Amino acid sequence: MMVELLLLIQRRSSIVFRVTFILSVVLRFMRLAYLIGYGVEIEKSPVNSASLSMLSWPKPATWPSIPPDSSAEVMAKEKTILQAKAREKLFDIQRKPLPLEPSSLLREANRRRAFLSVGNLSELYDSVDGSGLGAHSKLSPNKSSSNLMTRTMSGPATSETSLPVDRPMRLSEIHVAAEHALKQTISDPDFMTSLSSPEEFESRYMELTKGAADNYHRSWWKRHGVVLDGEIAAIFFKHGNYDLAAKSYEKVCALYSAEGWEELLADVLPDLAECQKILKDEAGYLASCVKLLSLESSLFSSKERQAFQSEVVRLAHSEMRHPVPLDVSSLITFAGNPAPPLELCDGDPGTLSVAVWSGFPDDITLESLSLRLSAFSSADEGLKAIRSTDARVLVPGRNIITFDIPPQKPGSYVLGALTGQIGKLSFRSHGFSQDGPVDTDEFMSFEKPTRPVLKVRKPRALVDITPAVSSALLMNELQWIGLIVKPIDYSLKGGILHIDAGAELKIEESQMIEIESYRSDGEHSSPIDASKVLSRPTDTGRVEKVPIENGKIKLPDWASDVTTLVWFPVRAINDTVPKGTSPASPQKHSIVDGMRMIALKLEFGAFHNQIFERTIAVHFTNPFHVSTRVVDKCNDGTLLLQVILHSEVKATLHVKDVSLDLQAGFEHLGKGDGRPTSSLFPLVIAPSSKAGILFVIRLSGTKDLDELEQADSMLHIKYGISGDRATGAHSPVPVKPDDSEELLFKISLKLKRPVLDPCLAVGFLPFSTDCLRVGQLVNMKWRVERLKDLEEASLSDDEILYQVDANPQNWMVAGRKSGHISFSEAQGSRIEIAVTCVPLVSGYVHPPQLGLPDVGDANISCNPAGPHLVCVLPPTLSTSYCIPA
Amino acid sequence: MASTACFVIVSKNDIPIYDAEVGSAPKKEDQAYQHQFILHAALDVVQDLAWATSAMFLKSVDRFNDLVVSVYVTAGHTRFMLLHDSRSEDGIKSFFQEIFLNPLYLPGSRITSSHFNTKVRALARKYL
């Protein structure tokens, strides 16, 4: 039989190409051991199965028969066979045990019995133990099965001719027979010893396997070496040497895990886990269980996976000596929402929903769950983790978890890591999963998606408040101020507007605030959302009245998304009396006088965390600006005073009555009631235009210069105004029901007495001749007239000195150049002064002038005025200078 | 068509990125497992042979019963390994070459594309 075995070595090729001799010996050794009944000792592992299933049984011409008196041995062998059971695996993992034989030994042995015919073989099939027949039928050499088939076909199949002389051998009998045959043929005592008992066999087997493994490792066939290490581990395990078993199993698992051959790993890892559990290596056991769960779910049944999970959970809740973090990156994965990223405004919190996929076979309770977000551009995870609600249960598959996000800094954020706790152990998962079915070729399962899930906008304007009108409002009257409140892509729900009036401005809190929806002129009548408009179809906007308290207005809900106009009544106070202007006293009109400041603050936002502040300036003005001028002055001292009313507002002013209280030094003529000359009321003044009113006054006598200087005239104007509050000044808000619409405006005017106060008039009388010639006498005449009585005038004497001024180079004065004149004191009295002069040069020359040196210039009126230049012709030709020849 | 054939693509860092049973016989679980084991063990043999020769197609590097392991090594040291029971060498070589030219591949990751799967099976039917 040994010869046959040696022949086998040459003929059959083995699983490894350049197998070392030792391994081939191992295999044959194992085959022999199986032959004699030690098959139960041989672990049914892939390598053994693969190796042994190829190694066929010896094929002697006839199978050795059972020696006589071996029934005890047969019984013993039977017992061994019956007691054999597959090693129970941890977690109740059931696997079909791999075959270790190429074909049934029972059949093979009995086939070689000479006295059995073919027909009986079919009976044998039915009674054979099913350990190897079905499973390895593919692996067995084609030859044997085909042989079997042909024999079955060709041979007679009837049963009556096949009565055996002897019955077929049972398995135990085959083993005993083989053992005896071997004992007779094997000469080597060592070899014999190793086959003498299962324990001996095992130790020899271990020795040989170790040798083979070392060889492989030395030849860098690490996979083969590691696989044999696995075999050795199984033997260690069997003998309770769990520490060494675990070490060897770890090597195998490490190789398979590193190279990613999950099916192979699934076979060995439970063994490692078992060792770790026995050795109370909690961390290792936990890691192994997690790894088992992480493998492809098709490799284990759901019951087995549930067993893994329950172990993990049990350990997580127990008091581990050295708690370790769980690596569940492939079991708990997450993905963001496929929708566009959540957009928040700066400073606003929000909620983010994330899909979390659980690869656990059962529901699993997480004691806590937190999500980290990292800013898109920077690599560090700058944010604190965001916690979701505590203690949630993840179901297998997809879970949607919402996280409350506190206000964040502006930027784009992507999903970072998911952390949490299962029991007392923390875990961290970086795993991203594809949310939904994968059906695309472009999907890279390990690529980190960089799609942002959260965008926090940079701080931007969320609302704008501007004044509704830009033109001036009436001073000292209760006017509406409008504010346009415009939300910019943000809801103002629950917003509160604080209005703080500055100095000299008072908000009338007894009145209600009006809020109406606003449409600027640029907007056309696009269909308005029905929810924002009152039921009246003709109404362009909605108006609501709300109270104001301590300067606070609560915005109604309908106003949160639309632009609204907020009207509130204020009164600007100015106690100073305005002054009119005249040519003599021009006044600078300062715009600052009429400006009033209002501080606005709007608190809004989902959590009242947004604040908008603005200070607006509002202009106030008097309805009129008044200027005066003297239109004409009559000789009797009557003055025509024109009072011009300039409208300062963009509204129509209706002047109902005007009266003028004159200052000291002036008095009215006519009716004397201070009203203008003609009755032209009511006078309508269009916006920004002017109207004039005429008064007839005259100077009244008074000697008190101080009083004259400080007195002011007061103009009273009763008027009404019709304007639109959206444009500018308008009719004041009636506070009490019986407030009249008639308004009173007072303005002070300063009239100045005329500077010029002539009491004498000096007039030039025309020349008697048309032309003046050089050397020709000419009479120059002046007339002096009294304009006022001597008492009124400020002259003391009734004799007036006169003087003629002439350029001596141009004129020769024949006569008196100066002298005194005296004439009647009564107003209107006249006197003529005549002086004869001779022009000396021709051309345009200044004529002689008459002056009154003692009288101030202010008191002289040149009327009629004298010529400025006179034309002097050259002398006539003089014949007296011609000399006769 | 080969009755048994198991096709695995192993990347250059020894991680299997694709595997498929392309035989016409019905699949049996333990057999499939053994095939994986055999191909994994054969990697040792391949690694020796691949450096020894410059050829891409290493014919039968190993045998298991009647099953043969044939390997095709690409320039990027990706190995196409086929465990099969047919004997047509040319057919296998053409099969490998067609697979090699198939562009549906992203380096480093597992091949999960169903198109690729279909193509592989079609090519297997054609050549094996």
Side-chain angles (χ1 to χ4, degrees):
Chain A
M1 190 152 11
M2 280 301 277
V3 172
E4 303 241 16
L5 287 171
L6 288 170
L7 282 173
L8 274 170
I9 294 169
Q10 269 124 43
R11 261 190 294 166
R12 303 295 299 192
S13 52
S14 68
I15 187 172
V16 241
F17 207 54
R18 292 193 320 250
V19 67
T20 58
F21 183 65
I22 297 175
L23 186 65
S24 70
V25 170
V26 172
L27 291 174
R28 268 96 194 141
F29 183 58
M30 284 163 72
R31 175 54 75 224
L32 284 179
Y34 199 123
L35 199 58
I36 60 177
Y38 296 155
V40 295
E41 307 294 332
I42 302 173
E43 168 96 1
K44 289 185 170 57
S45 70
V47 65
N48 291 338
S49 166
S51 331
L52 290 174
S53 59
M54 279 187 4
L55 204 53
S56 69
W57 300 110
K59 294 180 173 59
T62 51
W63 201 269
S65 51
I66 312 167
D69 302 326
S70 57
S71 49
E73 289 177 47
V74 170
M75 292 297 288
K77 287 270 191 250
E78 284 263 8
K79 206 170 150 196
T80 326
I81 293 168
L82 289 167
Q83 279 173 352
K85 55 177 180 172
R87 168 181 148 190
E88 273 178 18
K89 286 218 167 189
L90 190 64
F91 307 114
D92 267 345
I93 292 176
Q94 304 294 339
R95 286 285 175 272
K96 204 163 165 192
L98 295 166
L100 292 179
E101 45 189 0
S103 52
S104 167
L105 174 59
L106 195 63
R107 192 184 62 221
E108 285 293 330
N110 281 310
R111 213 149 47 105
R112 304 201 185 281
R113 299 286 296 284
F115 48 82
L116 276 179
S117 67
V118 174
N120 297 339
L121 288 171
S122 54
E123 289 167 22
L124 280 176
Y125 282 147
D126 296 335
S127 61
V128 81
D129 59 332
S131 63
L133 185 61
H136 70 271
S137 58
K138 290 294 292 173
L139 297 175
S140 62
N142 287 341
K143 233 177 8 187
S144 63
S145 53
S146 60
N147 282 345
L148 215 53
M149 291 310 286
T150 48
R151 281 197 209 168
T152 315
M153 294 297 222
S154 59
T158 54
S159 54
E160 58 263 14
T161 55
S162 58
L163 280 169
V165 173
D166 199 348
R167 61 162 177 78
M169 282 191 345
R170 293 199 301 276
L171 203 55
S172 48
E173 290 166 342
I174 294 171
H175 288 322
V176 168
E179 194 175 350
H180 275 269
L182 275 175
K183 277 181 184 156
Q184 282 156 24
T185 44
I186 293 173
S187 52
D188 187 63
D190 276 337
F191 191 43
M192 207 50 235
T193 324
S194 56
L195 287 177
S196 60
S197 73
E199 293 77 19
E200 287 292 324
F201 155 70
E202 213 174 63
S203 72
R204 179 56 76 97
Y205 166 63
M206 173 87 124
E207 203 183 300
L208 291 172
T209 310
K210 270 195 191 157
D214 284 341
N215 265 298
Y216 277 129
H217 281 302
R218 267 186 261 131
S219 345
W220 293 103
W221 284 33
K222 61 174 192 254
R223 289 176 194 86
H224 287 70
V226 160
V227 154
L228 289 179
D229 283 336
E231 294 306 302
I232 295 168
I235 298 178
F236 280 138
F237 187 88
K238 195 170 156 197
H239 290 281
N241 209 335
Y242 301 114
D243 199 23
L244 291 172
K247 283 202 177 69
S248 297
Y249 275 134
E250 265 171 18
K251 277 194 220 167
V252 183
C253 290
L255 177 73
Y256 288 148
S257 174
E259 298 193 343
W261 293 73
E262 286 198 347
E263 271 193 51
L264 305 174
L265 182 62
D267 193 61
V268 187
L269 193 53
D271 296 330
L272 174 62
E274 198 173 347
C275 290
Q276 287 166 332
K277 186 172 183 186
I278 294 166
L279 289 171
K280 297 205 185 337
D281 175 10
E282 285 172 337
Y285 182 55
L286 188 65
S288 301
C289 290
V290 172
K291 184 80 193 170
L292 282 166
L293 278 171
S294 311
L295 296 177
E296 266 183 56
S297 47
S298 57
L299 294 170
F300 294 103
S301 72
S302 60
K303 205 157 152 256
E304 288 161 358
R305 296 189 79 233
Q306 280 166 354
F308 301 151
Q309 181 175 336
S310 58
E311 284 293 283
V312 171
V313 172
R314 180 184 66 80
L315 274 175
H317 283 92
S318 68
E319 291 291 336
M320 278 179 76
R321 263 171 289 141
H322 306 286
V324 289
L326 286 171
D327 177 23
V328 291
S329 287
S330 51
L331 284 170
I332 296 180
T333 57
F334 55 98
N337 220 335
L342 176 68
E343 292 206 9
L344 294 177
C345 290
D346 177 50
D348 273 349
T351 54
L352 183 67
S353 70
V354 173
V356 177
W357 291 76
S358 165
F360 285 98
D362 271 343
D363 291 357
I364 185 153
T365 309
L366 302 177
E367 264 62 45
S368 74
L369 189 63
S370 312
L371 179 68
R372 290 196 110 88
L373 295 176
S374 60
F376 190 59
S377 47
S378 63
D380 65 325
E381 294 181 19
L383 296 183
K384 279 192 284 216
I386 305 160
R387 275 176 72 103
S388 81
T389 54
D390 311 279
R392 31 181 335 123
V393 175
L394 284 184
V395 299
R398 193 168 188 262
N399 297 264
I400 301 285
I401 303 199
T402 50
F403 291 90
D404 292 323
I405 304 180
Q408 305 293 348
K409 283 186 256 187
S412 234
Y413 296 92
V414 293
L415 291 175
L418 195 70
T419 54
Q421 267 199 303
I422 297 176
K424 297 188 176 63
L425 303 177
S426 62
F427 71 87
R428 187 184 176 97
S429 174
H430 286 272
F432 290 92
S433 60
Q434 180 82 357
D435 199 7
V438 180
D439 205 16
T440 164
D441 289 340
E442 292 85 32
F443 173 66
M444 300 264 283
S445 56
F446 303 116
E447 174 118 329
K448 191 169 171 175
T450 52
R451 190 171 58 83
V453 291
L454 173 67
K455 273 192 185 150
V456 181
R457 290 197 191 168
K458 285 201 191 67
R460 65 169 179 96
L462 302 169
V463 68
D464 194 26
I465 302 181
T466 48
V469 295
S470 54
S471 71
L473 301 171
L474 280 181
M475 181 73 81
N476 286 324
E477 305 290 346
L478 195 61
Q479 300 273 274
W480 291 107
I481 289 186
L483 298 172
I484 303 174
V485 177
K486 181 178 160 194
I488 305 173
D489 287 334
Y490 198 86
S491 171
L492 301 179
K493 192 164 168 157
I496 296 178
L497 182 63
H498 300 255
I499 304 177
D500 187 16
E504 293 181 324
L505 190 64
K506 193 172 162 305
I507 300 175
E508 188 64 49
E509 293 208 352
S510 62
Q511 293 288 304
M512 296 283 267
I513 309 294
E514 287 182 16
I515 301 181
E516 64 186 38
S517 62
Y518 175 76
R519 265 199 313 167
S520 66
D521 294 335
E523 287 173 22
H524 298 289
S525 53
S526 54
I528 301 173
D529 213 350
S531 61
K532 296 181 192 169
V533 170
L534 278 179
S535 53
R536 284 182 284 169
T538 54
D539 205 23
T540 53
R542 185 176 159 164
V543 181
E544 186 174 322
K545 292 196 181 183
V546 294
I548 177 169
E549 265 176 81
N550 293 327
K552 289 197 205 121
I553 304 170
K554 198 163 167 311
L555 289 179
D557 285 342
W558 61 267
S560 35
D561 294 309
V562 292
T563 306
T564 50
L565 210 51
V566 177
W567 294 106
F568 58 97
V570 295
R571 188 194 302 273
I573 300 161
N574 189 356
D575 293 326
T576 59
V577 179
K579 290 189 183 350
T581 60
S582 65
S585 59
Q587 191 180 27
K588 278 214 190 64
H589 201 53
S590 170
I591 202 166
V592 179
D593 290 341
M595 203 145 75
R596 297 287 180 269
M597 309 301 280
I598 300 180
L600 301 169
K601 183 165 93 160
L602 182 65
E603 282 177 353
F604 62 108
F607 295 84
H608 287 273
N609 53 346
Q610 304 282 2
I611 293 179
F612 174 83
E613 282 176 324
R614 176 167 281 180
T615 304
I616 58 171
V618 188
H619 290 269
F620 290 88
T621 181
N622 293 315
F624 300 102
H625 169 60
V626 176
S627 60
T628 57
R629 70 183 181 124
V630 173
V631 175
D632 205 358
K633 191 185 91 150
C634 309
N635 281 340
D636 61 352
T638 310
L639 298 168
L640 288 178
L641 181 69
Q642 185 184 45
V643 172
I644 303 166
L645 304 175
H646 302 257
S647 165
E648 298 268 89
V649 294
K650 274 198 186 156
T652 306
L653 292 164
H654 308 267
V655 179
K656 299 189 174 135
D657 199 8
V658 174
S659 68
L660 179 61
D661 289 338
L662 283 172
Q663 67 207 66
F666 293 88
E667 63 187 14
H668 281 281
L669 286 176
K671 290 185 245 153
D673 61 351
R675 309 210 43 255
T677 47
S678 50
S679 57
L680 26 74
F681 297 118
L683 180 63
V684 175
I685 307 179
S688 307
S689 60
K690 47 193 177 184
I693 303 175
L694 214 54
F695 290 91
V696 181
I697 60 174
R698 66 170 176 195
L699 297 172
S700 65
T702 170
K703 296 282 190 230
D704 194 343
L705 286 173
D706 288 337
E707 200 187 306
L708 287 172
E709 285 300 307
Q710 279 158 28
D712 275 340
S713 308
M714 193 68 83
L715 187 70
H716 301 259
I717 307 174
K718 287 201 188 108
Y719 71 102
I721 182 169
S722 59
D724 184 6
R725 68 182 182 183
T727 315
H730 50 275
S731 185
V733 182
V735 178
K736 293 181 277 265
D738 56 350
D739 265 355
S740 67
E741 286 214 6
E742 206 174 77
L743 305 163
L744 184 63
F745 177 63
K746 286 190 217 173
I747 185 163
S748 75
L749 303 168
K750 202 168 181 68
L751 299 173
K752 283 207 166 193
R753 292 171 69 82
V755 174
L756 296 175
D757 193 12
C759 47
L760 292 169
V762 173
F764 182 80
L765 295 172
F767 287 119
S768 48
T769 59
D770 282 341
C771 60
L772 300 172
R773 284 189 181 269
V774 174
Q776 199 173 356
L777 289 166
V778 64
N779 244 353
M780 301 196 82
K781 286 188 219 155
W782 289 273
R783 185 179 71 203
V784 180
E785 183 183 335
R786 270 198 207 278
L787 296 173
K788 294 182 189 172
D789 289 343
L790 194 57
E791 294 83 31
E792 287 179 17
S794 41
L795 302 169
S796 46
D797 291 330
D798 60 346
E799 274 198 355
I800 303 164
L801 174 70
Y802 75 88
Q803 188 178 340
V804 176
D805 291 316
N807 191 348
Q809 288 176 355
N810 298 338
W811 298 92
M812 191 186 75
V813 177
R816 287 178 68 173
K817 270 197 183 171
S818 62
H820 281 268
I821 48 163
S822 101
F823 52 112
S824 165
E825 296 172 0
Q827 183 184 15
S829 56
R830 297 173 172 183
I831 187 167
E832 275 189 25
I833 301 169
V835 174
T836 309
C837 308
V838 178
L840 298 173
V841 295
S842 63
Y844 285 89
V845 293
H846 290 287
Q849 302 282 334
L850 182 76
L852 303 175
D854 284 344
V855 182
D857 283 338
N859 296 338
I860 300 172
S861 163
C862 293
N863 197 12
H868 187 57
L869 290 170
V870 295
C871 176
V872 177
L873 295 170
T876 50
L877 289 171
S878 171
T879 53
S880 59
Y881 293 109
C882 294
I883 300 169
Chain B
M1 176 67 174
S3 55
T4 312
C6 176
F7 176 58
V8 170
I9 301 182
V10 181
S11 71
K12 67 175 188 303
N13 36 13
D14 299 333
I15 296 176
I17 53 177
Y18 179 74
D19 77 282
E21 291 280 332
V22 295
S24 57
K27 183 171 168 179
K28 288 196 180 160
E29 282 199 20
D30 49 347
Q31 274 191 23
Y33 177 75
Q34 280 210 330
H35 294 170
Q36 295 269 331
F37 177 75
I38 292 155
L39 285 169
H40 180 246
L43 277 175
D44 276 339
V45 188
V46 174
Q47 98 191 11
D48 276 353
L49 279 181
W51 297 120
T53 167
S54 63
M56 286 184 129
F57 180 49
L58 311 172
K59 291 170 238 178
S60 53
V61 301
D62 204 355
R63 289 192 56 187
F64 171 71
N65 251 354
D66 257 8
L67 299 176
V68 180
V69 178
S70 298
V71 177
Y72 184 90
V73 183
T74 70
H77 211 53
T78 304
R79 286 144 283 183
F80 299 162
M81 303 176 73
L82 183 68
L83 178 71
H84 58 97
D85 64 0
S86 69
R87 289 144 291 278
S88 159
E89 268 186 19
D90 284 337
I92 292 165
K93 191 168 181 181
S94 323
F95 173 70
F96 280 142
Q97 279 173 343
E98 291 260 348
I99 300 272
F100 181 54
L101 294 171
N102 196 309
L104 298 174
Y105 173 58
L106 300 155
S109 64
R110 288 176 194 269
I111 298 179
T112 52
S113 155
S114 54
H115 293 315
F116 186 71
N117 219 356
T118 324
K119 268 218 91 110
V120 165
R121 291 183 199 281
L123 286 170
R125 274 196 294 276
K126 188 171 161 194
Y127 288 111
L128 299 177

